[in-house]
Coordinates of all heavy atoms in Angstrom, one line a residue:
M140 N 0.8 -1.2 0.0 CA 0.0 0.0 0.0 C 0.9 1.2 0.0 O 1.9 1.3 0.7 CB -0.9 0.0 1.2 CG -1.8 1.2 1.3 SD -2.9 1.2 2.8 CE -1.8 1.9 4.0
N141 N 0.5 2.2 -0.8 CA 1.1 3.5 -0.8 C 0.1 4.5 -0.2 O -1.0 4.5 -0.5 CB 1.5 4.0 -2.2 CG 2.5 3.1 -2.8 OD1 3.5 2.8 -2.2 ND2 2.3 2.7 -4.0
K142 N 0.6 5.4 0.7 CA -0.2 6.4 1.4 C 0.2 7.8 1.0 O 1.4 8.1 1.2 CB -0.1 6.2 2.9 CG -1.1 7.0 3.7 CD -1.0 6.6 5.2 CE -1.8 7.5 6.0 NZ -1.7 7.1 7.5
K143 N -0.7 8.6 0.5 CA -0.4 9.9 0.0 C -1.5 10.9 0.5 O -2.6 10.4 0.7 CB -0.2 10.0 -1.5 CG 0.8 9.2 -2.1 CD 0.8 9.3 -3.6 CE 1.8 8.4 -4.3 NZ 1.7 8.4 -5.7
V144 N -1.2 12.2 0.5 CA -2.2 13.2 0.7 C -2.7 13.6 -0.7 O -2.0 13.7 -1.7 CB -1.6 14.4 1.3 CG1 -2.6 15.6 1.4 CG2 -1.1 14.1 2.7
S145 N -4.0 13.7 -0.8 CA -4.7 14.0 -2.1 C -4.1 15.3 -2.6 O -3.9 16.3 -1.9 CB -6.2 14.1 -2.0 OG -6.8 14.6 -3.1
R146 N -3.9 15.4 -3.9 CA -3.5 16.7 -4.5 C -4.6 17.6 -4.8 O -4.4 18.8 -5.2 CB -2.7 16.4 -5.8 CG -3.5 15.8 -7.0 CD -2.6 15.4 -8.1 NE -3.3 14.6 -9.1 CZ -3.6 15.0 -10.3 NH1 -3.3 16.2 -10.7 NH2 -4.2 14.2 -11.2
Y147 N -5.9 17.2 -4.6 CA -7.0 18.0 -4.9 C -7.4 18.8 -3.7 O -7.4 18.3 -2.6 CB -8.2 17.1 -5.4 CG -7.9 16.3 -6.6 CD1 -7.8 14.9 -6.5 CD2 -7.6 16.9 -7.8 CE1 -7.5 14.2 -7.6 CE2 -7.3 16.2 -8.9 CZ -7.3 14.8 -8.8 OH -6.9 14.1 -9.9
K148 N -7.7 20.1 -4.0 CA -8.2 20.9 -2.9 C -9.7 20.6 -2.6 O -10.1 20.8 -1.5 CB -8.1 22.4 -3.3 CG -8.2 23.3 -2.1 CD -7.5 24.6 -2.4 CE -7.6 25.5 -1.1 NZ -7.1 26.8 -1.3
A149 N -10.4 20.2 -3.6 CA -11.8 19.8 -3.4 C -12.1 18.6 -4.3 O -11.7 18.6 -5.5 CB -12.8 20.9 -3.7
H150 N -12.8 17.6 -3.8 CA -13.1 16.4 -4.5 C -14.6 16.2 -4.4 O -15.1 16.0 -3.3 CB -12.3 15.2 -4.0 CG -12.3 14.1 -5.0 ND1 -11.2 13.2 -5.0 CD2 -13.1 13.7 -5.9 CE1 -11.4 12.3 -5.9 NE2 -12.6 12.5 -6.5
L151 N -15.4 16.3 -5.5 CA -16.8 16.1 -5.5 C -17.1 14.6 -5.8 O -16.6 14.1 -6.8 CB -17.5 16.9 -6.6 CG -17.7 18.4 -6.3 CD1 -16.4 19.2 -6.3 CD2 -18.7 19.0 -7.3
F152 N -17.9 14.1 -5.0 CA -18.4 12.7 -5.2 C -19.9 12.7 -5.5 O -20.7 13.1 -4.6 CB -18.1 11.8 -4.0 CG -16.7 11.6 -3.7 CD1 -16.0 12.5 -2.9 CD2 -16.0 10.5 -4.3 CE1 -14.6 12.3 -2.7 CE2 -14.6 10.3 -4.1 CZ -13.9 11.2 -3.3
I153 N -20.3 12.4 -6.7 CA -21.7 12.4 -7.1 C -22.2 11.0 -7.0 O -21.7 10.1 -7.7 CB -21.8 12.9 -8.6 CG1 -21.2 14.3 -8.8 CG2 -23.3 12.9 -9.0 CD1 -21.0 14.7 -10.2
C154 N -23.2 10.8 -6.2 CA -23.8 9.5 -6.0 C -24.5 9.1 -7.3 O -25.4 9.9 -7.8 CB -24.7 9.5 -4.8 SG -25.5 7.9 -4.6
N155 N -24.2 7.9 -7.8 CA -24.9 7.5 -9.0 C -25.6 6.1 -8.8 O -25.9 5.4 -9.7 CB -23.9 7.4 -10.2 CG -22.9 6.3 -10.0 OD1 -22.8 5.6 -9.0 ND2 -22.0 6.1 -11.0
K156 N -25.8 5.8 -7.5 CA -26.4 4.5 -7.1 C -27.8 4.4 -7.7 O -28.6 5.3 -7.6 CB -26.4 4.4 -5.6 CG -27.2 3.2 -5.1 CD -26.5 1.9 -5.3 CE -27.3 0.7 -4.7 NZ -26.6 -0.5 -5.0
T157 N -28.1 3.3 -8.4 CA -29.4 3.0 -8.9 C -30.0 1.8 -8.1 O -29.2 0.9 -7.7 CB -29.4 2.7 -10.4 OG1 -28.6 1.6 -10.7 CG2 -29.0 4.0 -11.2
R158 N -31.3 1.7 -8.0 CA -31.9 0.6 -7.4 C -33.2 0.2 -8.2 O -33.8 1.1 -8.8 CB -32.3 0.9 -6.0 CG -31.2 1.1 -5.0 CD -31.7 1.1 -3.6 NE -30.7 1.2 -2.6 CZ -30.3 2.3 -2.0 NH1 -30.9 3.5 -2.3 NH2 -29.3 2.3 -1.2
D159 N -33.6 -1.0 -8.2 CA -34.8 -1.4 -8.8 C -35.8 -2.0 -7.9 O -36.7 -2.8 -8.3 CB -34.5 -2.3 -10.0 CG -33.8 -3.5 -9.6 OD1 -33.6 -3.8 -8.4 OD2 -33.4 -4.3 -10.5
D160 N -35.6 -1.7 -6.6 CA -36.4 -2.4 -5.6 C -37.4 -1.4 -4.9 O -38.0 -1.7 -3.9 CB -35.6 -3.0 -4.5 CG -34.7 -2.0 -3.7 OD1 -34.8 -0.8 -4.0 OD2 -33.9 -2.5 -2.9
G161 N -37.6 -0.2 -5.5 CA -38.5 0.8 -5.0 C -37.9 1.8 -4.0 O -38.6 2.8 -3.8
R162 N -36.8 1.5 -3.5 CA -36.2 2.4 -2.5 C -35.6 3.6 -3.3 O -35.1 3.4 -4.4 CB -35.1 1.8 -1.7 CG -35.6 0.8 -0.7 CD -34.5 0.2 0.1 NE -33.6 -0.6 -0.7 CZ -32.3 -0.9 -0.4 NH1 -31.8 -0.4 0.7 NH2 -31.6 -1.6 -1.2
K163 N -35.6 4.8 -2.7 CA -35.1 6.0 -3.4 C -33.6 5.8 -3.6 O -32.9 5.3 -2.7 CB -35.4 7.2 -2.6 CG -35.0 8.5 -3.4 CD -35.5 9.8 -2.7 CE -35.0 11.0 -3.5 NZ -35.5 12.2 -2.9
S164 N -33.1 6.2 -4.7 CA -31.6 6.2 -5.0 C -31.3 7.4 -5.9 O -32.1 7.7 -6.8 CB -31.2 4.9 -5.5 OG -31.8 4.6 -6.7
C165 N -30.1 7.9 -5.7 CA -29.7 9.1 -6.5 C -29.7 8.9 -8.0 O -30.2 9.7 -8.7 CB -28.4 9.6 -6.0 SG -28.3 10.1 -4.3
G166 N -29.2 7.8 -8.4 CA -29.0 7.5 -9.8 C -30.3 7.4 -10.5 O -30.4 7.6 -11.8
N167 N -31.4 7.1 -9.8 CA -32.7 7.0 -10.4 C -33.4 8.4 -10.6 O -34.4 8.5 -11.3 CB -33.7 6.1 -9.6 CG -33.2 4.7 -9.7 OD1 -32.2 4.3 -9.1 ND2 -34.0 3.8 -10.3
H168 N -32.8 9.4 -9.9 CA -33.5 10.7 -9.9 C -32.6 11.8 -10.4 O -33.1 12.9 -10.8 CB -33.9 11.1 -8.5 CG -35.0 10.2 -7.9 ND1 -34.7 9.0 -7.3 CD2 -36.3 10.3 -8.0 CE1 -35.8 8.4 -7.0 NE2 -36.8 9.1 -7.4
A169 N -31.3 11.6 -10.5 CA -30.4 12.7 -10.9 C -30.4 12.8 -12.4 O -30.6 11.8 -13.1 CB -29.0 12.4 -10.4
D170 N -30.1 14.0 -12.9 CA -29.9 14.2 -14.3 C -28.6 13.5 -14.7 O -27.5 13.7 -14.1 CB -29.8 15.7 -14.6 CG -29.6 16.0 -16.1 OD1 -29.0 15.2 -16.8 OD2 -30.2 17.0 -16.5
P171 N -28.6 12.6 -15.7 CA -27.4 11.8 -16.1 C -26.3 12.7 -16.6 O -25.2 12.3 -16.7 CB -27.9 10.8 -17.1 CG -29.3 11.3 -17.5 CD -29.8 12.1 -16.4
E172 N -26.7 14.0 -17.0 CA -25.7 14.9 -17.5 C -25.0 15.7 -16.4 O -24.1 16.5 -16.7 CB -26.4 15.9 -18.5 CG -27.0 15.2 -19.7 CD -26.0 14.4 -20.5 OE1 -24.9 15.0 -20.8 OE2 -26.3 13.3 -20.9
L173 N -25.4 15.5 -15.2 CA -24.9 16.4 -14.1 C -23.4 16.3 -14.0 O -22.7 17.3 -13.9 CB -25.5 16.0 -12.7 CG -25.1 16.8 -11.5 CD1 -25.4 18.3 -11.7 CD2 -25.8 16.2 -10.3
K174 N -22.8 15.1 -14.0 CA -21.4 14.9 -13.9 C -20.7 15.6 -15.0 O -19.7 16.4 -14.8 CB -21.0 13.4 -13.8 CG -19.5 13.2 -13.7 CD -19.1 11.8 -13.8 CE -17.6 11.6 -13.8 NZ -17.2 10.3 -14.2
S175 N -21.1 15.4 -16.2 CA -20.4 16.0 -17.4 C -20.5 17.5 -17.4 O -19.6 18.2 -17.7 CB -20.8 15.4 -18.7 OG -22.2 15.7 -18.9
I176 N -21.7 18.0 -16.9 CA -21.8 19.5 -16.8 C -20.9 20.1 -15.8 O -20.2 21.1 -16.0 CB -23.3 19.9 -16.5 CG1 -24.2 19.5 -17.7 CG2 -23.4 21.3 -16.1 CD1 -25.7 19.6 -17.4
L177 N -20.7 19.4 -14.7 CA -19.8 19.9 -13.6 C -18.4 19.7 -14.1 O -17.5 20.6 -13.8 CB -20.0 19.1 -12.3 CG -21.3 19.5 -11.5 CD1 -21.5 18.5 -10.4 CD2 -21.0 20.9 -10.9
K178 N -18.0 18.6 -14.7 CA -16.7 18.5 -15.2 C -16.3 19.5 -16.2 O -15.2 20.1 -16.2 CB -16.5 17.1 -15.8 CG -16.4 16.0 -14.8 CD -16.2 14.6 -15.4 CE -14.8 14.4 -15.8 NZ -13.9 13.8 -14.7
D179 N -17.2 19.8 -17.1 CA -17.0 20.9 -18.1 C -16.8 22.2 -17.4 O -15.9 23.0 -17.8 CB -18.2 21.0 -19.1 CG -18.2 19.8 -20.1 OD1 -17.2 19.0 -20.1 OD2 -19.2 19.6 -20.7
A180 N -17.6 22.5 -16.4 CA -17.5 23.8 -15.7 C -16.2 23.9 -15.0 O -15.5 25.0 -15.0 CB -18.6 24.0 -14.7
V181 N -15.7 22.8 -14.4 CA -14.4 22.8 -13.7 C -13.3 23.0 -14.7 O -12.3 23.8 -14.5 CB -14.2 21.5 -12.9 CG1 -12.8 21.3 -12.5 CG2 -15.2 21.5 -11.7
Q182 N -13.4 22.4 -15.9 CA -12.5 22.5 -17.0 C -12.4 24.0 -17.5 O -11.3 24.6 -17.6 CB -12.8 21.6 -18.1 CG -12.0 21.7 -19.3 CD -10.6 21.0 -19.2 OE1 -10.5 20.1 -18.4 NE2 -9.7 21.4 -20.0
E183 N -13.6 24.6 -17.7 CA -13.6 25.9 -18.2 C -13.0 26.9 -17.2 O -12.4 27.9 -17.6 CB -15.1 26.3 -18.5 CG -15.6 25.7 -19.7 CD -17.1 25.9 -19.9 OE1 -17.7 26.7 -19.2 OE2 -17.8 25.1 -20.7
K184 N -13.2 26.7 -15.9 CA -12.6 27.5 -14.9 C -11.1 27.4 -14.7 O -10.5 28.1 -14.1 CB -13.3 27.3 -13.5 CG -14.7 27.7 -13.5 CD -14.8 29.2 -13.2 CE -16.2 29.7 -12.9 NZ -16.2 31.1 -12.6
G185 N -10.6 26.3 -15.3 CA -9.1 26.0 -15.2 C -8.8 25.4 -13.9 O -7.6 25.5 -13.4
W186 N -9.8 24.8 -13.2 CA -9.6 24.2 -11.9 C -9.2 22.8 -11.9 O -9.0 22.1 -10.8 CB -10.9 24.3 -11.1 CG -11.3 25.7 -10.7 CD1 -10.5 26.9 -10.8 CD2 -12.6 26.1 -10.3 NE1 -11.3 27.9 -10.4 CE2 -12.5 27.5 -10.1 CE3 -13.8 25.5 -10.1 CZ2 -13.7 28.3 -9.7 CZ3 -14.9 26.2 -9.7 CH2 -14.8 27.6 -9.5
K187 N -9.0 22.2 -13.1 CA -8.8 20.7 -13.2 C -7.7 20.2 -12.3 O -7.8 19.1 -11.7 CB -8.6 20.3 -14.6 CG -8.9 18.9 -14.9 CD -9.0 18.6 -16.3 CE -9.2 17.0 -16.5 NZ -9.1 16.6 -17.8
P188 N -6.6 20.9 -12.1 CA -5.5 20.4 -11.2 C -5.9 20.4 -9.8 O -5.3 19.7 -9.0 CB -4.3 21.3 -11.5 CG -4.6 22.1 -12.7 CD -6.1 22.1 -12.8
L189 N -6.9 21.2 -9.4 CA -7.3 21.4 -8.0 C -8.6 20.7 -7.6 O -8.9 20.5 -6.4 CB -7.4 22.9 -7.7 CG -6.1 23.6 -7.9 CD1 -6.3 25.1 -7.7 CD2 -5.0 23.2 -6.9
V190 N -9.5 20.5 -8.6 CA -10.8 20.0 -8.3 C -11.1 18.7 -9.1 O -10.9 18.7 -10.3 CB -11.9 21.1 -8.6 CG1 -13.3 20.5 -8.4 CG2 -11.7 22.3 -7.8
R191 N -11.5 17.7 -8.4 CA -11.9 16.5 -9.1 C -13.4 16.2 -9.0 O -13.9 16.4 -7.9 CB -11.1 15.3 -8.5 CG -11.3 14.0 -9.0 CD -10.6 13.8 -10.3 NE -10.8 12.4 -10.9 CZ -10.4 12.0 -12.0 NH1 -9.6 12.8 -12.7 NH2 -10.6 10.8 -12.5
V192 N -14.0 15.7 -10.1 CA -15.4 15.4 -10.1 C -15.4 13.9 -10.3 O -15.0 13.4 -11.4 CB -16.2 16.1 -11.1 CG1 -17.6 15.7 -11.1 CG2 -16.0 17.7 -10.9
S193 N -16.0 13.1 -9.4 CA -16.1 11.7 -9.5 C -17.5 11.2 -9.2 O -18.3 11.9 -8.6 CB -15.1 11.0 -8.5 OG -13.8 11.4 -8.7
E194 N -17.8 10.0 -9.6 CA -19.0 9.4 -9.2 C -18.7 8.4 -8.1 O -17.6 7.9 -7.9 CB -19.6 8.6 -10.4 CG -20.1 9.5 -11.5 CD -20.6 8.7 -12.7 OE1 -19.9 7.8 -13.2 OE2 -21.7 9.0 -13.1
S195 N -19.8 8.2 -7.3 CA -19.6 7.2 -6.2 C -20.9 6.4 -6.1 O -21.9 6.7 -6.7 CB -19.4 8.0 -4.8 OG -20.7 8.4 -4.4
S196 N -20.8 5.4 -5.3 CA -22.0 4.6 -5.0 C -22.7 5.3 -3.9 O -22.4 6.4 -3.5 CB -21.6 3.1 -4.7 OG -22.8 2.4 -4.7
C197 N -23.6 4.6 -3.2 CA -24.4 5.1 -2.2 C -23.6 5.8 -1.1 O -22.6 5.3 -0.6 CB -25.3 4.1 -1.5 SG -26.4 4.7 -0.3
L198 N -24.0 7.1 -0.7 CA -23.4 7.9 0.3 C -24.1 7.8 1.6 O -23.7 8.4 2.6 CB -23.3 9.3 -0.1 CG -22.5 9.5 -1.4 CD1 -22.6 11.0 -1.9 CD2 -21.0 9.2 -1.2
G199 N -25.2 7.0 1.7 CA -25.9 6.8 2.9 C -27.0 7.7 3.3 O -27.6 7.6 4.4
V200 N -27.3 8.7 2.4 CA -28.4 9.6 2.7 C -29.4 9.6 1.6 O -29.8 10.7 1.0 CB -27.9 11.0 3.1 CG1 -27.3 11.1 4.4 CG2 -26.9 11.5 2.0
C201 N -29.8 8.5 1.2 CA -30.6 8.3 -0.1 C -31.8 9.1 -0.1 O -32.2 9.6 -1.2 CB -30.9 6.8 -0.2 SG -29.6 5.7 0.3
D202 N -32.6 9.2 1.0 CA -33.9 9.9 0.9 C -33.7 11.4 0.6 O -34.6 12.0 0.2 CB -34.6 9.8 2.2 CG -35.2 8.4 2.4 OD1 -35.4 7.7 1.4 OD2 -35.4 7.9 3.5
A203 N -32.5 11.9 0.8 CA -32.3 13.4 0.5 C -31.8 13.6 -0.9 O -31.6 14.7 -1.3 CB -31.3 13.9 1.5
G204 N -31.5 12.6 -1.6 CA -30.8 12.7 -2.9 C -31.7 13.3 -4.0 O -32.8 13.6 -3.8
P205 N -31.0 13.5 -5.1 CA -29.6 13.2 -5.5 C -28.6 14.0 -4.6 O -28.8 15.2 -4.4 CB -29.5 13.6 -7.0 CG -31.0 13.6 -7.4 CD -31.8 14.0 -6.3
N206 N -27.5 13.3 -4.3 CA -26.5 13.9 -3.3 C -25.2 14.0 -4.0 O -24.8 13.2 -4.8 CB -26.4 12.9 -2.1 CG -27.7 12.9 -1.3 OD1 -28.1 13.9 -0.8 ND2 -28.3 11.7 -1.3
I207 N -24.5 15.0 -3.5 CA -23.1 15.2 -3.8 C -22.4 15.6 -2.5 O -22.9 16.3 -1.7 CB -22.8 16.4 -4.8 CG1 -23.5 16.1 -6.1 CG2 -21.4 16.7 -4.9 CD1 -23.4 17.3 -7.1
M208 N -21.2 15.0 -2.3 CA -20.4 15.4 -1.1 C -19.1 16.0 -1.6 O -18.6 15.6 -2.7 CB -20.2 14.3 -0.1 CG -19.4 13.2 -0.5 SD -19.1 12.1 0.9 CE -18.1 10.9 0.1
I209 N -18.6 17.0 -0.9 CA -17.4 17.7 -1.3 C -16.4 17.4 -0.1 O -16.7 17.8 1.0 CB -17.5 19.2 -1.6 CG1 -18.6 19.4 -2.6 CG2 -16.2 19.8 -2.0 CD1 -18.9 20.9 -2.9
Y210 N -15.3 16.8 -0.5 CA -14.3 16.6 0.6 C -13.0 17.3 0.2 O -12.7 17.5 -1.0 CB -14.0 15.1 0.7 CG -14.8 14.5 1.8 CD1 -16.2 14.4 1.7 CD2 -14.2 14.0 3.0 CE1 -17.0 13.9 2.7 CE2 -15.0 13.5 4.0 CZ -16.3 13.4 3.9 OH -17.1 12.9 4.9
P211 N -12.2 17.7 1.1 CA -12.3 17.4 2.6 C -13.1 18.4 3.3 O -13.1 18.4 4.6 CB -10.8 17.5 3.0 CG -10.2 18.5 2.1 CD -10.9 18.3 0.8
Q212 N -13.8 19.2 2.6 CA -14.6 20.3 3.4 C -15.8 19.7 4.1 O -16.5 20.5 4.9 CB -15.0 21.4 2.4 CG -13.9 22.2 1.9 CD -13.1 21.5 0.8 OE1 -13.5 20.6 0.1 NE2 -11.9 22.0 0.5
K213 N -16.2 18.5 3.8 CA -17.4 17.9 4.4 C -18.6 18.6 4.1 O -19.5 18.8 5.0 CB -17.2 17.7 6.0 CG -16.0 16.9 6.4 CD -15.9 16.8 7.9 CE -14.7 16.1 8.3 NZ -14.5 16.1 9.8
I214 N -18.8 19.1 2.9 CA -20.0 19.8 2.4 C -20.9 18.8 1.7 O -20.4 18.0 0.8 CB -19.6 20.9 1.5 CG1 -18.8 22.0 2.2 CG2 -20.9 21.5 0.9 CD1 -18.2 23.0 1.3
W215 N -22.1 18.7 2.2 CA -23.1 17.8 1.6 C -24.1 18.6 0.9 O -24.7 19.6 1.4 CB -23.8 17.0 2.7 CG -23.0 15.9 3.3 CD1 -22.0 16.1 4.2 CD2 -23.0 14.6 2.9 NE1 -21.4 14.9 4.4 CE2 -22.0 13.9 3.7 CE3 -23.7 13.8 2.0 CZ2 -21.7 12.6 3.5 CZ3 -23.5 12.5 1.9 CH2 -22.5 11.8 2.6
L216 N -24.4 18.3 -0.4 CA -25.4 18.9 -1.2 C -26.5 17.9 -1.5 O -26.1 16.8 -2.0 CB -24.8 19.4 -2.5 CG -23.5 20.3 -2.4 CD1 -22.9 20.6 -3.7 CD2 -23.9 21.6 -1.7
S217 N -27.7 18.2 -1.2 CA -28.8 17.3 -1.4 C -29.8 17.8 -2.3 O -29.9 19.1 -2.5 CB -29.4 16.9 -0.1 OG -28.4 16.2 0.7
D218 N -30.7 17.0 -2.9 CA -31.7 17.3 -3.8 C -31.1 18.2 -4.9 O -31.7 19.2 -5.3 CB -32.8 18.1 -3.0 CG -34.1 18.2 -3.8 OD1 -34.3 17.4 -4.7 OD2 -34.9 19.2 -3.6
V219 N -30.0 17.7 -5.4 CA -29.2 18.5 -6.4 C -29.8 18.2 -7.8 O -30.2 17.1 -8.2 CB -27.8 18.0 -6.4 CG1 -27.0 18.7 -7.5 CG2 -27.1 18.3 -5.1
S220 N -29.9 19.3 -8.6 CA -30.2 19.2 -10.0 C -29.2 20.0 -10.8 O -28.4 20.8 -10.3 CB -31.7 19.7 -10.3 OG -31.7 21.1 -10.2
T221 N -29.4 20.0 -12.1 CA -28.4 20.7 -13.0 C -28.7 22.2 -12.8 O -27.8 23.0 -13.0 CB -28.6 20.4 -14.5 OG1 -30.0 20.5 -14.8 CG2 -28.1 19.0 -14.7
A222 N -29.9 22.6 -12.3 CA -30.1 24.0 -12.0 C -29.2 24.6 -10.9 O -29.0 25.8 -10.7 CB -31.6 24.2 -11.7
D223 N -28.7 23.6 -10.1 CA -27.8 24.0 -9.0 C -26.4 24.2 -9.4 O -25.5 24.6 -8.5 CB -27.9 23.0 -7.8 CG -29.3 22.9 -7.3 OD1 -30.0 23.9 -7.1 OD2 -29.8 21.7 -7.2
V224 N -26.0 23.9 -10.6 CA -24.6 24.0 -11.0 C -24.0 25.3 -10.7 O -22.9 25.4 -10.1 CB -24.4 23.5 -12.5 CG1 -23.0 23.9 -13.0 CG2 -24.7 22.0 -12.6
P225 N -24.6 26.5 -11.0 CA -24.0 27.8 -10.7 C -23.7 27.9 -9.2 O -22.6 28.4 -8.8 CB -25.0 28.8 -11.1 CG -25.8 28.1 -12.2 CD -25.9 26.7 -11.8
E226 N -24.6 27.4 -8.3 CA -24.3 27.5 -6.9 C -23.2 26.6 -6.5 O -22.4 26.9 -5.6 CB -25.6 27.2 -6.1 CG -25.4 27.5 -4.6 CD -26.8 27.4 -3.9 OE1 -27.8 27.3 -4.5 OE2 -26.7 27.3 -2.6
I227 N -23.1 25.4 -7.1 CA -22.0 24.5 -6.8 C -20.7 25.1 -7.2 O -19.7 25.0 -6.5 CB -22.3 23.1 -7.5 CG1 -23.5 22.5 -7.0 CG2 -21.1 22.2 -7.3 CD1 -24.0 21.3 -7.8
I228 N -20.7 25.7 -8.4 CA -19.4 26.4 -8.9 C -19.1 27.5 -7.9 O -17.9 27.7 -7.6 CB -19.6 26.9 -10.3 CG1 -19.8 25.7 -11.3 CG2 -18.4 27.7 -10.8 CD1 -18.7 24.6 -11.2
Q229 N -20.1 28.2 -7.4 CA -19.8 29.3 -6.5 C -19.2 28.7 -5.2 O -18.2 29.3 -4.6 CB -21.1 30.1 -6.2 CG -21.0 31.1 -5.1 CD -20.1 32.3 -5.5 OE1 -20.0 32.7 -6.7 NE2 -19.3 32.8 -4.6
T230 N -19.7 27.6 -4.7 CA -19.2 27.0 -3.6 C -17.7 26.6 -3.8 O -16.9 26.8 -2.9 CB -20.0 25.7 -3.2 OG1 -21.4 26.1 -2.9 CG2 -19.5 25.0 -2.0
L231 N -17.4 26.0 -4.9 CA -16.0 25.6 -5.2 C -15.1 26.9 -5.3 O -14.0 26.8 -4.8 CB -16.0 24.9 -6.6 CG -16.6 23.5 -6.5 CD1 -16.7 22.9 -7.9 CD2 -15.8 22.5 -5.6
E232 N -15.7 27.9 -5.9 CA -14.9 29.2 -5.9 C -14.5 29.7 -4.5 O -13.4 30.1 -4.3 CB -15.7 30.2 -6.7 CG -14.8 31.4 -7.2 CD -15.3 31.9 -8.5 OE1 -16.5 31.7 -8.9 OE2 -14.5 32.4 -9.3
E233 N -15.5 29.6 -3.6 CA -15.2 30.0 -2.2 C -14.2 29.1 -1.6 O -13.3 29.6 -0.8 CB -16.5 30.0 -1.4 CG -17.5 31.1 -1.9 CD -18.9 30.9 -1.3 OE1 -19.2 29.9 -0.5 OE2 -19.8 31.6 -1.8
I234 N -14.3 27.8 -1.9 CA -13.3 26.9 -1.3 C -11.9 27.2 -1.9 O -10.9 27.3 -1.1 CB -13.6 25.4 -1.7 CG1 -14.9 25.0 -0.9 CG2 -12.5 24.5 -1.4 CD1 -15.5 23.7 -1.4
L235 N -11.8 27.4 -3.2 CA -10.5 27.7 -3.8 C -9.9 29.0 -3.4 O -8.7 29.2 -3.3 CB -10.6 27.6 -5.3 CG -10.9 26.2 -5.8 CD1 -11.1 26.2 -7.3 CD2 -9.9 25.2 -5.4
N236 N -10.8 30.0 -3.1 CA -10.3 31.3 -2.7 C -10.2 31.5 -1.2 O -9.7 32.5 -0.7 CB -11.2 32.4 -3.2 CG -11.2 32.5 -4.7 OD1 -10.1 32.2 -5.3 ND2 -12.3 32.9 -5.4
G237 N -10.7 30.5 -0.5 CA -10.7 30.6 1.0 C -9.4 30.3 1.6 O -8.6 30.7 2.3
Ligands
LIG588 S1 -28.4 6.3 -3.3 FE1 -27.4 8.2 -3.2 S2 -27.0 8.4 -1.1 FE2 -27.8 6.4 -1.2

């Protein structure tokens, strides 16, 4: 095992968990374009070396989803849609300038 400190100042994890058993899950409700829209926005801002956008499986707060968590700031975004992208970018801007 190699142990390192992440090079990213902020790492977004977008839950993409889907279910077919009737329980709520982010992947069944989120816009499938959300990740690519966020990645494009990060790219356009020139933040790619500092901000990573990834998908994750269940983050454990399914009923509040679709969910994104931002680490290491421990910021949880719930009920997220593509309409929230400007606010998410603003949040990242505050992190990077903070
Ligand atoms: S399915 Fe997204 S938090 Fe559980």
